[in-house]
Structure formats: structure tokens, C-alpha cells
Amino acid sequence: MSNSAERFLDLIRKSQQGKLKVYIGMIAGVGKTYRMLQEAHELLKVRVNVKIGFIETHLREETQALVRGIPQIHRKKVFYKGRELEEMDLDAILLERPEIVIVDELAHTNIPGCKNEKRWQDVLDLIRAGIHVITAFNIQHLESLADKVKQIAGIDVSERIPDSFLNYADEVVNIDLPSQDLINRLKTGKIYKGERIQRALDNFFQPEKILQLRDLALRQVASYVEKKIETEIPTQPRMQIERFMACISTYDEGAKKIIRKTALLANHYQADWYALYVQTKRENPNTINTATQRKLLANFKRVTELGGRVIKIEAENIPEAIFQTALDKKINNLVIGKPTMSIWRTLTGRNYFDKLMKKVNNRSIDVIIVS
């Protein structure tokens, strides 16, 4: 039995409540359904009562072969607009009460007349009834990523899953595959057949799109793991998760260099990063000149292009604003420009660097100075 299946089985044995395991993929054909069926066979070998509640093979021969030998709960027939259609039979699953049920196509919208509008709602009913569920979906169906997916692929995905659904997950697994391997699978007919192959190649299945969708999937699973670490591992022995924040201003000539340095460090650690701009009254858009505004907006654009997120706040106490933002975002690395020391700045109380250093003292926050 694989380590993944063993871990989920351990979770089940420790609780009488329904447990939820979610496979996330970057795109269709990456192998989510195949992996769920493999796990079902592994569980059957150790005499676990696992059944298929709903599976969609898309007529893929490898997937269809794996369905054989796994008990299935028959789908229900639903008449809609003069046609007989099939849906997962939620009531039948609740009646049979298998120990584990496999539910595919999580983002599916149920036919009108079913108890729930969405299949993910059916899954919640199952785990609330004490039935353990293994399910799967593609990253483009996650609600918060709808705009990003549209930007990447030019497609408005209508069937969506709320991000809150993942709060119920006891285990989240990413199914990953290099883009060229995926395209090769598509071209050889292992994902779609006939004219659907070319349509897919013209749309989602382009290397640059797959790479971006892959990044979204990896980040989502990494975020889930990070939250799990924060809630389940005691504070002391916990491995530190790096987060970086560049501190920039309209008067900082080296802002471009600070941004690039922060992006480079974050990329090295595969970490999230931000750029903080604290706008004081003297930096109000109505008072600073047009050239300065353009420079600031260019820096904001540079941040997003390099994968960071801009934080803009209005405050007069700059060190306090930086410190509180660092605490709020759990930043442990501040990247700032080289401070300009002078007796005048100290006497007038504008020695921001000194004030900031006093605030981060005895905190797990490093300050990186870019010359």
C-alpha cells in the first residue's frame, strides 16, 4: 500500500467522523481519477469497505481498466428536459454506508431536482454522516482563482468550488505532471479522442498555460500544508516558513533594487513576498508630482510582474506601520534600503531605521539591508 493510502487509513481509524481526502490537479488528464482508483484497489487489498459513488472515466482505457474490481453504487436516473440522465445517488450511498466512497468530478453541478445544487455539497453530507470520502477536482474550479484562470486561459469557468470546502479536508494531495508529458498524453489519445484533441491543444493544453495552472495548483497545496503545520505542529519545533517584505517609498531611489532583491530571495526559498508602501500625508497623490507618481506606479507594476503582492497603507508612523504589517502577514524577513544616518534625523525623531530596529528586537524578524 502506498504511503498516501496508509496515512488516510490511519486518519480513518482514529476517528468516527467522516474524513475527507482531496486530489487536486492542474488540468484534465493529469491522473487524479486514475490515482483515486489505484488507492481504492490498495484499500480493497487490506479489506477496507470502499465503493465507487461516482466516477467519470471519459472513456480512457487505462482508467476504465482500473474501475473493474471495485464495487460501485448504482447511479440514479433523472429525467431533465425530456432526456434520461444519470447522477450520483446520494441517498443510496447514505443507505449502503460504505467505509470509504470515491466521488469524482467534485465541481459538477447537479441536475435540477437533486437534493443539493452542487456535488461538493453532496460530499459534505457524506462526511457529516460519518462516511469517509476520496474526491478530486482541477485547480481552475476553485472560486478564488476564477479571475486568474480567465487571465491565463481566456476561459470563464462556470462550475466552481468555494475555497472554504478545503477547510473540511484532512488530506490534500497534488497530482503533478510536466507539461510536455501531459501534451504527449493528449496527442496519443490518452486524454481525449478525435477532434477534441485539437480543440484542447488550441485552448488549455498549451505549455505556457499548463505551467501557470501547475503553479496555481502547487501554491494551493503548499498553502494547505502551511496552514496544517501552523495548526498541528507545536510552535517550538516547527520549521520556519520564510516570508519576505520589501519596504519602499516614493523618495527611495533604490526601490527598484530592493524589489528585485526581495523577489530573488523569495524565489530562492520558494516563498511568498510582499512590497509595502506606507503613504504619509506629504506623499498624498495630490501633493507629489506626476513624475514621482509614475515612478511609484512603475514599482507597483514591477512587484506584481515579479510575483509579489503590493500592500499600500496610509500612516504617519512608518516604523510602526512596517512592524504591524510584518506581524499581520507573518513576515520574518524585511528588505529595506540602506539607512541615511545624520544627527539632524536623530534630533528630529525621523531616524526610522533606529525605531524599526528597536521594534523588531527580540522578534523572529531579520532585516536585510540593500545598499
Side-chain angles (χ1 to χ4, degrees):
M1 185 183 292
S2 69
N3 291 335
S4 177
E6 283 183 0
R7 282 197 302 272
F8 192 59
L9 196 53
D10 285 341
L11 280 172
I12 289 170
R13 287 167 175 163
K14 290 174 183 176
S15 176
Q16 298 302 311
Q17 300 298 311
K19 294 294 181 180
L20 176 62
K21 181 172 185 175
V22 182
Y23 282 102
I24 294 180
M26 58 186 172
I27 201 169
V30 78
K32 304 177 303 302
T33 304
Y34 189 87
R35 184 65 197 95
M36 285 196 297
L37 294 171
Q38 277 187 325
E39 185 162 345
H41 280 287
E42 292 169 0
L43 293 166
L44 286 170
K45 285 178 182 176
V46 292
R47 301 183 183 280
V48 175
N49 178 11
V50 56
K51 293 185 178 181
I52 292 173
F54 187 94
I55 209 77
E56 183 55 76
T57 67
H58 295 286
L59 301 179
R60 294 166 191 157
E61 294 176 6
E62 296 171 341
T63 308
Q64 287 178 316
L66 274 179
V67 170
R68 291 192 287 271
I70 305 173
Q72 296 192 51
I73 296 172
H74 292 296
R75 303 178 188 184
K76 66 177 178 180
K77 307 289 185 183
V78 180
F79 285 91
Y80 181 64
K81 293 186 177 179
R83 297 172 59 199
E84 185 182 75
L85 304 172
E86 291 186 338
E87 280 286 9
M88 184 178 81
D89 195 332
L90 175 62
D91 291 332
I93 298 171
L94 292 170
L95 187 63
E96 289 197 31
R97 295 195 64 80
E99 192 172 358
I100 303 175
V101 65
I102 306 293
V103 178
D104 205 0
E105 300 286 337
L106 183 67
H108 170 76
T109 301
N110 291 332
I111 298 166
C114 294
K115 178 188 174 185
N116 296 311
E117 181 187 354
K118 297 283 188 176
R119 186 165 291 155
W120 62 263
Q121 294 170 319
D122 293 339
V123 167
L124 293 185
D125 281 352
L126 291 171
I127 61 175
R128 285 167 183 152
I131 298 171
H132 311 296
V133 179
I134 301 175
T135 188
F137 70 91
N138 286 323
I139 196 66
Q140 66 262 27
H141 294 289
L142 204 60
E143 181 70 44
S144 66
L145 300 178
D147 291 338
K148 286 186 178 180
V149 171
K150 189 172 183 178
Q151 185 179 5
I152 291 168
I155 296 172
D156 191 5
V157 178
S158 58
E159 293 189 315
R160 300 176 188 174
I161 298 163
D163 293 55
S164 59
F165 177 85
L166 289 177
N167 294 336
Y168 295 92
D170 299 280
E171 192 170 354
V172 175
V173 181
N174 180 55
I175 302 296
D176 192 35
L177 197 64
S179 58
Q180 195 53 54
D181 290 357
L182 190 64
I183 290 171
N184 290 340
R185 280 177 53 80
L186 176 65
K187 288 180 176 178
T188 55
K190 292 183 177 180
I191 299 176
Y192 298 130
K193 302 293 183 183
E195 60 183 27
R196 292 190 69 188
I197 295 175
Q198 191 57 50
R199 282 207 306 270
L201 288 169
D202 293 338
N203 292 292
F204 259 29
F205 284 77
Q206 296 176 20
E208 65 277 7
K209 292 179 180 179
I210 294 172
L211 187 61
Q212 291 178 82
L213 292 170
R214 187 183 189 190
D215 178 60
L216 291 181
L218 289 168
R219 285 177 183 270
Q220 190 61 47
V221 175
S223 175
Y224 167 82
V225 173
E226 184 179 314
K227 289 176 183 174
K228 204 167 182 65
I229 288 171
E230 290 176 350
T231 56
E232 295 186 9
I233 298 180
T235 305
Q236 282 303 105
R238 184 189 301 166
M239 179 183 69
Q240 180 170 282
I241 297 168
E242 301 294 338
R243 287 191 182 89
F244 294 81
M245 186 167 76
C247 302
I248 61 174
S249 76
T250 52
Y251 299 100
D252 194 342
E253 292 298 323
K256 187 189 299 183
K257 193 172 183 181
I258 293 169
I259 291 166
R260 286 176 177 163
K261 182 69 173 180
T262 309
L264 188 66
L265 288 166
N267 185 57
H268 176 74
Y269 286 97
Q270 294 292 294
D272 289 337
W273 72 280
Y274 304 83
L276 172 66
Y277 167 61
V278 182
Q279 180 186 295
T280 61
K281 288 179 181 177
R282 68 190 185 118
E283 293 178 289
N284 188 288
N286 297 323
T287 58
I288 61 175
N289 60 51
T290 305
T292 303
Q293 287 188 48
R294 279 201 299 264
K295 189 187 299 182
L296 184 63
L297 291 173
N299 283 330
F300 288 169
K301 183 181 178 184
R302 187 170 288 112
V303 170
T304 56
E305 286 175 346
L306 292 173
R309 281 168 276 184
V310 175
I311 302 172
K312 181 181 175 182
I313 59 176
E314 296 180 14
E316 293 304 306
N317 190 333
I318 295 175
E320 179 66 19
I322 293 172
F323 178 64
Q324 290 300 329
T325 305
L327 294 181
D328 180 54
K329 297 295 182 182
K330 299 180 182 177
I331 303 296
N332 44 28
N333 296 280
L334 292 173
V335 185
I336 66 173
K338 187 176 181 180
T340 54
M341 303 296 187
S342 70
I343 295 174
W344 172 251
R345 289 175 68 86
T346 302
L347 290 175
T348 57
R350 289 177 58 195
N351 193 335
Y352 299 143
F353 177 74
D354 183 57
K355 290 181 177 179
L356 178 62
M357 293 306 294
K358 287 177 180 177
K359 286 186 174 295
V360 300
N361 190 30
N362 297 323
R363 295 277 185 170
S364 298
I365 300 176
D366 293 332
V367 178
I368 301 164
I369 299 173
V370 180
S371 62

